Amino acid sequence: MLRKKIGIIQPYFFPYLGYISLLKHTDRFILLDTVQYIQRGWIERNRILKQDDGWLYIQVPVKKPNGRASLIKECVLDNSQPWKDKIFSQMAIYKKIAPYYKPTLDFVKGTLSKDFDDITSLNRHVLTEICNYLDMPREIVAFSEMELIIEQPKDSDEWALNICKSIGQKVTYVNPIGGMSFYNREKYTQSDIDIFFHEIKLRDYQQGGRVFEPGLSILDALMFNSKEEVHEMLDQYKLN
């Protein structure tokens, strides 16, 4: 029997293609929201093109009840701010240069039409809607809601290890390539858990005649590429 591939990663806001590629090519996807919130990371923001050259952030205002010690699952949205309207306004840069501007904007507006109180719920919804939009429906779960009992991790690379061990079947854990030096493979092999690192091969695409800005939110890719072309990019990866 083939082992199921499991992705366990923090919940990101409209992430880049590599994150979505990992989501597409795993059998089960778990959002790790019981760890400390990372300041100035990708949980509440991502990048799109700005008016001239370069890029800017689209961002969700987040309140951290325990300051820097707050866990991701504890962080709530500051919905008193008009952050949705600001994002829609920021996306106007694409109107005259992107062939898929209208369907992508409609998709974002539809996705953000639902209100949420916390960042985990918002990002799970965003990721689910991205998958639905690309016709690859996935069930995405938050670890905090799984009621799964695990050993207390002694090191940061043991969160995924202990979650995989508690799932109760032989699995393959897949992590983004950026974490390759962070994980001790031996810990996983000793527990009969395969571990691989997902590396997407990003290619340039036309961005309205501008100098190409790599690694932007998937929203940028959707603005300039058909769904079929986006899938082609998502499928260009290897496991290390």
Side-chain angles (χ1 to χ4, degrees):
M1 179 183 294
L2 293 176
R3 297 187 177 207
K4 287 192 174 182
K5 296 184 179 71
I6 295 182
I8 304 171
I9 190 170
Q10 295 176 11
Y12 286 1
F13 182 66
F14 285 110
Y16 91 120
L17 287 167
Y19 188 109
I20 304 302
S21 178
L22 176 66
L23 174 51
K24 177 180 180 179
H25 295 288
T26 48
D27 301 301
R28 191 171 184 184
F29 204 77
I30 299 171
L31 300 178
L32 183 60
D33 62 341
T34 55
V35 296
Q36 188 173 338
Y37 181 92
I38 298 175
Q39 302 288 333
R40 294 182 292 277
W42 302 111
I43 296 170
E44 87 290 357
R45 65 182 186 175
N46 222 287
R47 303 182 304 147
I48 63 171
L49 293 179
K50 70 177 182 180
Q51 188 65 41
D52 299 313
D53 293 332
W55 52 264
L56 54 75
Y57 287 115
I58 53 172
Q59 190 161 0
V60 182
V62 173
K63 295 179 180 179
K64 300 175 281 293
N66 298 310
R68 294 183 179 230
S70 298
L71 304 181
I72 296 172
K73 69 174 184 176
E74 298 170 335
C75 294
V76 297
L77 309 183
D78 184 358
N79 287 317
S80 68
Q81 299 187 39
W83 60 270
K84 296 179 183 180
D85 290 338
K86 182 177 180 180
I87 289 175
F88 303 150
S89 176
Q90 289 174 309
M91 292 176 65
I93 173 59
Y94 291 97
K95 187 173 184 178
K96 294 183 179 180
I97 63 173
Y100 299 95
Y101 168 74
K102 188 178 187 307
T104 303
L105 181 64
D106 289 346
F107 158 65
V108 176
K109 286 185 174 181
T111 298
L112 297 183
S113 65
K114 190 173 182 181
D115 293 326
F116 293 93
D117 294 323
D118 63 277
I119 193 66
T120 296
S121 297
L122 171 66
N123 287 353
R124 176 171 56 185
H125 172 70
V126 166
L127 294 168
T128 299
E129 290 304 302
I130 290 171
C131 291
N132 290 339
Y133 186 69
L134 291 173
D135 303 312
M136 53 176 210
R138 293 287 186 279
E139 181 182 0
I140 301 170
V141 298
F143 176 66
S144 62
E145 298 177 358
M146 291 179 65
E147 299 182 352
L148 191 66
I149 299 174
I150 69 168
E151 301 173 34
Q152 184 62 34
K154 297 182 178 65
D155 294 302
S156 297
D157 68 340
E158 294 180 5
W159 276 100
L161 172 66
N162 294 348
I163 291 172
C164 288
K165 287 165 64 175
S166 294
I167 286 174
Q169 55 184 309
K170 293 182 179 181
V171 297
T172 294
Y173 171 59
V174 186
N175 191 78
I177 189 66
M180 192 168 185
S181 62
F182 176 74
Y183 283 82
N184 183 338
R185 285 182 184 262
E186 189 174 346
K187 293 180 182 179
Y188 286 75
T189 55
Q190 287 177 348
S191 297
D192 197 20
I193 296 168
D194 293 336
I195 179 171
F196 290 96
F197 295 89
H198 182 282
E199 181 179 9
I200 190 171
K201 184 178 181 181
L202 293 173
R203 65 169 176 82
D204 295 0
Y205 50 84
Q206 291 295 322
Q207 288 177 326
R210 299 160 56 117
V211 175
F212 183 71
E213 288 285 349
L216 300 183
S217 165
I218 189 171
L219 295 180
D220 187 81
L222 291 172
M223 286 285 185
F224 293 107
N225 300 275
S226 68
K227 292 182 184 181
E228 293 74 20
E229 290 169 328
V230 171
H231 274 288
E232 289 175 5
M233 289 187 276
L234 295 177
D235 293 342
Q236 294 300 310
Y237 77 98
K238 64 179 180 178
L239 295 179
N240 297 279

